[in-house]
Amino acid sequence: MTSIGGAEMVDWNLAVATATRFVRPGPEISREEARAVVAELRRHAKASEEHVRSFTRMIPEGHEPEDTPVLVVDRAGWIRANVAGFRELLRPLLGKMQDRRGSGPGNAVLGAVGGKVTGVELGMLLSFLASRVLGQYETFAPATRELPASSKGGGRLLLVAPNIVHVERELDVDPHDFRLWVALHEETHRTQFTGVPWLRDHLQGEIQSFLDETDVDPMTMLERLREAAQTFSGGSRPEGERGEGDGGHGLVEIVQTPAQREILGRLTAVMSLLEGHADFVMDGVGPEVVGSVAEIREKFQQRRARGASRLDLALRKLLGLDAKLRQYRDGEKFVRAVVEEVGMDGFNRVWTSPNTLPTKAEIAAPADWVARVHRKADS
């Protein structure tokens, strides 16, 4: 635990306990069917490796990339994995805040609130997300007794079995095709990070730069959060200053410093690239190995767009999940346009170095990326 003013900032164990207590129960399924689902997801994850490598051509023939484990988990397993990841990623920021304990009057506020409240809040957030995530490549995952990770600094692929079963039933699609389709998306993420050696360190560096710029004065953070609450209630911003077409911004955008906005722009571009590339690959491979891929894509896109309820839509906006949905859409358009212009090998120049990654502006204008990376290099 990291502490400030003698009080724990985050009670990580309480976060896990809270999330597992309040997460929705999974779909009804017999023990035999559950075993069959887990076994099939493992087979699909293995098969997806060759499909993705052949389609993307990111990994040279004869080269064996870093091995990372594939874990089929339930919702509680996903929660435990993500708490471990949060703890690892936030360690430098929390250490920085610990070093500044006693430097301002806000420490008394944090000391009173304590890590118990923070742990409950994090747990409630994870309980909401745990029933929605189908799969995840954990880039910065530390190994634990229950959840192994790559021996070279983290990395594991999670497939959340109850959520996959829930969605395939909700969409009324072929379950075997849907499970393979999901595995193709997540395997693409694993290929991105195992096939591009510098990508993990680059992304971690950007995230740590973002966290380093965080204003750790507690009173300032409380004031920012008050502004956020007023914004979501519609009381603080003139109509002309609202986000284009969305009525506001996610919480993460409101608590930024100017330097963080610049870093977030770069992070947004990278995440749009990674998510869009995964969508492009899963649909590109799909017709060869997933017979009902067109039906699955159409129904899944409709599900993404509509959300589940007014509460779900409000939480999606608050947590910035609407921005993630835009990343899938915008990133996939970027990848498709570049591949059509310069082919798959030409697109793969994007993985050369951090300098060849697209900017946020280039995600929206793929021709500008082609002009910068290809025409300049070929001239």
Side-chain angles (χ1 to χ4, degrees):
M1 301 298 178
T2 301
S3 63
I4 186 167
E8 294 173 351
M9 287 196 63
V10 182
D11 187 330
W12 301 104
N13 293 330
L14 183 58
V16 172
T18 301
T20 52
R21 178 182 177 186
F22 287 99
V23 69
R24 295 176 183 176
E28 293 187 8
I29 186 171
S30 69
R31 182 169 298 181
E32 293 74 18
E33 187 179 1
R35 289 197 186 103
V37 170
V38 170
E40 184 175 17
L41 286 172
R42 286 176 177 154
R43 290 196 303 271
H44 285 331
K46 183 64 177 176
S48 294
E49 289 184 39
E50 183 55 38
H51 294 315
V52 170
R53 291 184 190 185
S54 176
F55 183 82
T56 64
R57 302 200 289 273
M58 288 179 63
I59 299 175
E61 193 170 335
H63 174 72
E64 195 59 35
E66 172 190 353
D67 185 38
T68 55
V70 177
L71 307 178
V72 181
V73 298
D74 59 10
R75 290 171 177 175
W78 182 87
I79 288 166
R80 288 192 295 272
N82 276 265
V83 167
F86 276 136
R87 188 174 186 175
E88 183 69 18
L89 196 60
L90 294 176
R91 192 183 302 276
L93 174 63
L94 298 183
K96 182 179 177 182
M97 296 183 76
Q98 182 183 22
D99 291 341
R100 289 187 56 175
R101 68 186 184 276
S103 62
N107 286 326
V109 177
L110 282 179
V113 174
K116 299 294 183 184
V117 173
T118 310
V120 169
E121 290 172 342
L122 176 59
M124 295 302 294
L125 166 62
L126 290 173
S127 73
F128 170 77
L129 295 174
S131 62
R132 287 158 172 78
V133 176
L134 301 181
Q136 174 184 357
Y137 183 77
E138 280 201 295
T139 315
F140 312 110
T144 68
R145 184 172 57 185
E146 296 178 319
L147 297 164
S150 165
S151 60
K152 298 182 179 180
R156 58 179 166 235
L157 190 152
L158 305 179
L159 295 171
V160 190
N163 295 352
I164 293 172
V165 171
H166 171 79
V167 174
E168 69 192 26
R169 290 178 178 179
E170 180 185 331
L171 298 181
D172 190 25
V173 293
D174 182 284
H176 309 293
D177 281 0
F178 184 74
R179 294 166 196 172
L180 177 55
W181 190 69
V182 172
L184 288 169
H185 182 101
E186 302 308 330
E187 176 58 34
T188 303
H189 286 317
R190 185 164 73 145
T191 299
Q192 290 163 349
F193 283 96
T194 57
V196 183
W198 53 264
L199 183 58
R200 179 184 181 275
D201 288 342
H202 171 72
L203 191 59
Q204 185 175 32
E206 291 281 57
I207 292 171
Q208 290 305 326
S209 294
F210 183 90
L211 295 177
D212 287 343
E213 290 291 335
T214 299
D215 191 335
V216 294
D217 175 68
M219 295 307 292
T220 300
M221 291 299 293
L222 288 173
E223 181 60 32
R224 295 256 181 95
L225 290 173
R226 283 193 210 99
E227 292 174 5
Q230 292 172 353
T231 296
F232 290 120
S233 67
S236 69
R237 244 199 282 176
E239 290 185 14
E241 295 182 16
R242 293 192 180 279
E244 182 179 344
D246 64 5
H249 294 285
L251 183 59
V252 70
E253 294 178 331
I254 290 173
V255 297
Q256 290 166 29
T257 65
Q260 283 178 312
R261 291 190 186 96
E262 292 184 15
I263 298 168
L264 189 67
R266 297 195 297 269
L267 281 169
T268 298
V270 174
M271 297 311 297
S272 296
L273 171 68
L274 299 180
E275 296 293 0
H277 183 236
D279 265 14
F280 177 79
V281 172
M282 71 195 296
D283 287 344
V285 174
E288 297 294 327
V289 297
V290 182
S292 57
V293 64
E295 178 192 3
I296 291 172
R297 166 56 72 189
E298 180 180 1
K299 289 183 175 180
F300 195 74
Q301 290 286 58
Q302 291 172 355
R303 182 181 185 273
R304 273 182 179 173
R306 68 174 179 264
S309 65
R310 289 186 65 183
L311 175 61
D312 187 70
L313 291 171
L315 286 170
R316 275 171 41 177
K317 186 177 295 294
L318 176 65
L319 299 174
L321 300 183
D322 280 352
K324 185 172 178 64
L325 297 182
R326 289 194 295 273
Q327 288 174 3
Y328 286 108
R329 183 182 65 243
D330 298 344
E332 195 273 341
K333 288 180 180 177
F334 170 84
V335 175
R336 185 173 300 280
V338 172
V339 171
E340 288 176 356
E341 178 72 18
V342 296
M344 183 64 75
D345 291 332
F347 165 78
N348 280 341
R349 287 195 187 181
V350 78
W351 312 117
T352 303
S353 75
N355 293 329
T356 56
L357 291 172
T359 64
K360 188 176 179 181
E362 288 171 340
I363 288 288
D368 292 348
W369 180 87
V370 172
R372 177 172 67 86
V373 174
H374 277 265
R375 291 168 194 165
K376 182 180 293 186
D378 296 340
S379 61

